[in-house]
Amino acid sequence: MYQTVLISLPIEELQVLITDCIARCLKDNAGPSNNDEPPITTKELCTFLGITEPTVIRWRKKGKIPYLQVGSRILYQKCAVINALENKKGTGNVLR
């Protein structure tokens, strides 16, 4: 059962609360090896891996690489992507 709480807050305070909550969630879910590394965009990941954007999108949709979605933005943790690609068996040399 859901509980509904109605409060009166200025929009600025609500934005700060939401931003803090999202930051805490991202930090909690980043894992121990990703704490110092900010998430990167699809274009930055393409440059880092030396692949095209359609390849990254295909890998993401197939579940081959992990990603974060914040609203409509798709972001990646480099360490998590590298680990996922290195742990896939039978993929050959993905990273060069």
Side-chain angles (χ1 to χ4, degrees), residues 25-37:
C25 288
L26 287 174
K27 183 179 177 186
D28 291 346
N29 292 324
S33 63
N34 299 332
N35 288 341
D36 297 337
E37 177 183 287

Side-chain angles (χ1 to χ4, degrees), residues 38-81:
I40 60 173
T41 65
T42 301
K43 288 184 180 185
E44 292 169 323
L45 185 64
C46 291
T47 302
F48 175 71
L49 296 177
I51 58 176
T52 63
E53 194 167 330
T55 299
V56 170
I57 292 168
R58 186 173 57 251
W59 287 357
R60 183 181 74 227
K61 288 182 178 180
K62 288 183 177 181
K64 190 172 183 178
I65 58 173
Y67 65 96
L68 305 167
Q69 184 166 357
V70 181
S72 61
R73 295 184 65 195
I74 303 291
L75 302 170
Y76 305 88
Q77 294 290 94
K78 277 199 289 189
C79 287
V81 171

